[in-house]
Amino acid sequence: MSWERTMFKKYLAQTSPEPMMFEPVRAEGCWFYDRNGKKYLDLISGISVSALGHCHPAVVMAVQHQSRTMMHAMVYGEFILSPQLLLARKILETLDAGLDNVYFVNSGSEAVEGAIKLAYKYTGKRELISCYNAYHGSSTGALSLMSDTYYSEGYKPLLSNVNHIHFNKVADLEKISTSTAAVFVEPIQGEAGYLPAEQKFLRALREKCTATGALLVFDEIQSGMGRTGKFWAHHHYDVVPDILLSAKGLGGGLPLGAFISSQKIMATLSDQPILGHITTFGGNPVCCAASLATVQEILEGCLLDAVPDKEQLFRSQLSKFGIERITGKGLMLGIPTRSFEHSKKVVQTCLNAGLITDWFLYETNKLRISPPLNISKDEIIFACEVIGNALTGDIDKVFTTA
Ligand code: PMP
């Protein structure tokens, strides 16, 4: 056994009793390689991060250039840093005119925290609303938005001013009132098993928020950056949020998040008190350079246009194994399994066969697929062959496929 495998449980804090113990030592394109040189197709992009796969030349070049030029400076609100400006301009060009101001942070959870603070400060109200089965992050504010007490109970007291509505249930919007500061929604619910919002739900939600003065926050931390076939998932809908959250794929593999809103709303961060949100690393120049290269590649290559065909290929290949009722949109797909035990077994079987998949936090009877956007047709066919055989139980066939 390698030194790394032996020390993994001793030196590093563990988050589950049975870790996968997968040990990649190198990655390129859509593939990981272990220390024996065995290759594994990455179908989760760690998670929904590596939109361009691993070590994309344009991203590597941008990181090399920026790290030779200037690696770090005070990042928030005082210094003029061109990597931040170029990235902010590029991102804002993709958005509705009302979203015209960016605050860069380190992660998705920090973007959520920023949005909570912004909503409190701008509206002067304190009630927050989120959806049942939403996932918005692991920091205590973000954890407070979670309805699932299995994950939050041990960390109480959390924020007590949070109420929940059912995703896609228009009748529940009655719970939004003039006391509501903000409503947090994922346009495609992630950990609930990749469930897209319905158009009528998001439209009614927008109307209710406008009528009550609550800020509408779209968490596109997982669904943004082209994952659904449009640069932002909310572009599939005719609805614009007051605050948009991004992270994961935004950094092109480096840590970067953002909360995006209007200049008017953001102005509250610099007044009474000043320094309304500060960060040591959020918007680090190297991360911004990696992000800009990634955003440019997604927007200027043909990646977005190809996503619907790739989704269709996953669906048609899997249907050959009788696998239907796949949820999600674009390259964010949830594949039904029989039980959590079955999901775990399939993930392990796929891993042995050279394919990285995953399960979801709340939806136990599904497999998660969130590959790099530049996955090829042949790679999708290989992936579906392995998943199809693993799911339908022909384990021997799976091992010979690898
Ligand atoms: N929101 C959503 C929808 C997410 O999927 C995640 C991460 N899984 C987060 C927030 C939190 O992001 P991070 O892990 O970067 O804090």
Side-chain angles (χ1 to χ4, degrees):
M1 192 183 287
S2 70
W3 178 86
E4 285 82 356
R5 285 183 83 80
T6 316
M7 293 302 152
F8 175 62
K9 288 190 178 174
K10 182 171 156 66
Y11 285 171
L12 299 179
Q14 298 296 308
T15 51
S16 73
E18 295 170 52
M20 282 169 87
M21 301 290 285
F22 171 54
E23 192 189 348
V25 294
R26 186 171 78 77
E28 191 182 343
C30 298
W31 297 84
F32 281 115
Y33 296 81
D34 70 12
R35 61 179 58 247
N36 300 316
K38 179 175 170 182
K39 53 195 257 188
Y40 300 79
L41 181 60
D42 182 7
L43 236 53
I44 56 170
S45 313
I47 289 172
S48 305
V49 168
S50 317
L52 303 179
H54 300 275
C55 306
H56 189 281
V59 181
V60 172
M61 209 198 299
V63 168
Q64 284 174 336
H65 173 75
Q66 188 55 47
S67 48
R68 274 196 299 266
T69 311
M70 180 172 58
M71 226 186 243
H72 181 70
M74 197 163 81
V75 286
Y76 61 87
E78 302 291 337
F79 292 8
I80 300 167
L81 302 175
S82 74
Q84 291 187 348
L85 282 171
L86 293 171
L87 177 60
R89 180 177 67 183
K90 192 84 197 161
I91 292 173
L92 295 175
E93 277 170 8
T94 67
L95 288 167
D96 189 84
L99 295 165
D100 61 3
N101 210 247
V102 184
Y103 193 113
F104 290 116
V105 289
N106 298 282
S107 67
S109 298
E110 195 187 344
V112 171
E113 300 296 332
I116 293 174
K117 290 168 69 180
L118 204 53
Y120 283 174
K121 190 80 191 312
Y122 182 74
T123 65
K125 300 170 187 174
R126 288 296 178 265
E127 185 200 40
L128 301 172
I129 290 190
S130 60
C131 289
Y132 285 104
N133 288 331
Y135 181 80
H136 295 291
S138 206
S139 54
T140 49
L143 202 58
S144 306
L145 297 175
M146 193 186 264
S147 64
D148 190 309
T149 51
Y150 172 78
Y151 291 104
S152 60
E153 195 60 35
Y155 300 103
K156 288 186 172 169
L158 296 169
L159 299 178
S160 54
N161 47 330
V162 180
N163 289 316
H164 298 291
I165 55 175
H166 286 96
F167 189 61
N168 279 337
K169 190 168 174 190
V170 174
D172 263 20
L173 301 179
E174 284 311 309
K175 292 186 185 169
I176 301 168
S177 72
T178 50
S179 308
T180 310
V183 183
F184 286 75
V185 176
E186 300 159 87
I188 315 273
Q189 270 204 330
E191 299 308 320
Y194 290 165
L195 305 177
E198 287 167 13
Q199 172 88 287
K200 70 172 190 300
F201 177 70
L202 289 191
R203 275 212 186 131
L205 176 60
R206 175 67 276 179
E207 278 168 24
K208 188 74 185 182
C209 286
T210 305
T212 55
L215 297 184
L216 176 57
V217 184
F218 279 170
D219 178 342
E220 291 227 28
I221 289 163
Q222 192 157 172
S223 61
M225 294 295 288
R227 186 131 297 280
T228 64
K230 293 201 186 276
F231 193 78
W232 300 106
H234 75 269
H235 286 168
H236 291 285
Y237 305 89
D238 192 9
V239 175
V240 180
D242 300 299
I243 304 176
L244 178 67
L245 310 181
S246 179
K248 286 190 174 278
L250 178 66
L254 293 187
L256 186 68
F259 52 101
I260 302 167
S261 189
S262 65
Q263 288 182 22
K264 185 174 170 209
I265 295 175
M266 288 289 206
T268 59
L269 292 179
S270 57
D271 185 36
Q272 293 184 344
I274 61 163
L275 305 177
H277 192 77
I278 50 178
T279 167
T280 300
F281 289 115
N284 165 277
V286 181
C287 301
C288 286
S291 176
L292 181 62
T294 306
V295 173
Q296 272 167 342
E297 198 67 29
I298 294 175
L299 290 173
E300 286 149 29
C302 329
L303 282 180
L304 292 180
D305 292 346
V307 168
D309 285 348
K310 291 180 181 181
E311 172 185 358
Q312 211 36 55
L313 188 59
F314 267 111
R315 289 180 183 274
S316 62
Q317 291 293 308
L318 290 169
S319 81
K320 290 183 185 164
F321 292 86
I323 300 164
E324 307 288 349
R325 295 182 297 107
I326 296 168
T327 57
K329 195 157 190 60
L331 291 177
M332 197 176 172
L333 298 171
I335 301 172
T337 62
R338 290 195 290 276
S339 63
F340 188 44
E341 282 314 305
H342 188 214
S343 303
K344 284 200 289 189
K345 210 169 153 190
V346 170
V347 168
Q348 189 57 49
T349 306
C350 289
L351 180 64
N352 295 342
L355 188 71
I356 316 281
T357 58
D358 197 13
W359 51 79
F360 294 97
L361 273 191
Y362 312 133
E363 172 52 89
T364 49
N365 294 12
K366 261 187 208 171
L367 210 62
R368 181 203 301 266
I369 301 296
S370 187
L373 304 183
N374 54 2
I375 189 169
S376 71
K377 202 175 154 197
D378 286 348
E379 287 165 341
I380 295 175
I381 291 170
F382 163 72
C384 293
E385 191 72 15
V386 175
I387 295 171
N389 285 316
L391 262 174
T392 50
D394 198 346
I395 306 290
D396 292 339
K397 216 166 164 187
V398 176
F399 284 112
T400 52
T401 318

